[in-house]
Amino acid sequence: MLVRENLKIFTKISFFTALVTIIVMPISLYIASRTLVESVESILWIFISAAFFASVIGIPLSIVSMFSKENLAKTIFALIVNSEGNY
């Protein structure tokens, strides 16, 4: 059984996943739209795919972290960003 104090790890993971999604996806999409080199574009799509799948994994972690004693703003931020990163 998970104690509420032990759920802080889920909050940290989902929060950092949300930060990576916010940072990686827009920058990679911008660079991919500006470049014509296919090798760079394929590498950027790997980063975009990794950020997308990390946000998919971050959604259940964000939901579980809602029951922790962590800062509520942090958990709501992680939940919103991870769920919006999938669109």
Side-chain angles (χ1 to χ4, degrees):
M1 185 79 180
L2 289 172
V3 183
R4 289 181 74 173
E5 293 294 323
N6 294 338
L7 295 176
K8 289 183 179 183
I9 282 189
F10 291 117
T11 305
K12 287 181 184 178
I13 292 171
S14 64
F15 180 74
F16 288 126
T17 302
L19 284 179
V20 166
T21 302
I22 279 182
I23 293 170
V24 169
M25 286 185 94
I27 292 172
S28 296
L29 288 172
Y30 176 75
I31 292 172
S33 70
R34 296 293 180 183
T35 186
L36 298 175
V37 180
E38 288 187 22
S39 62
V40 173
E41 189 173 322
S42 65
I43 292 171
L44 289 175
W45 284 112
I46 292 171
F47 285 123
I48 292 169
S49 299
F52 171 76
F53 289 121
S55 68
V56 167
I57 294 169
I59 291 172
L61 293 176
S62 299
I63 293 170
V64 169
S65 71
M66 293 298 288
F67 299 104
S68 71
K69 291 185 177 181
E70 194 71 30
N71 186 358
L72 185 62
K74 190 181 211 181
T75 58
I76 291 174
F77 170 79
L79 182 64
I80 291 172
V81 171
N82 286 328
S83 64
E84 292 295 323
N86 295 318
Y87 293 110

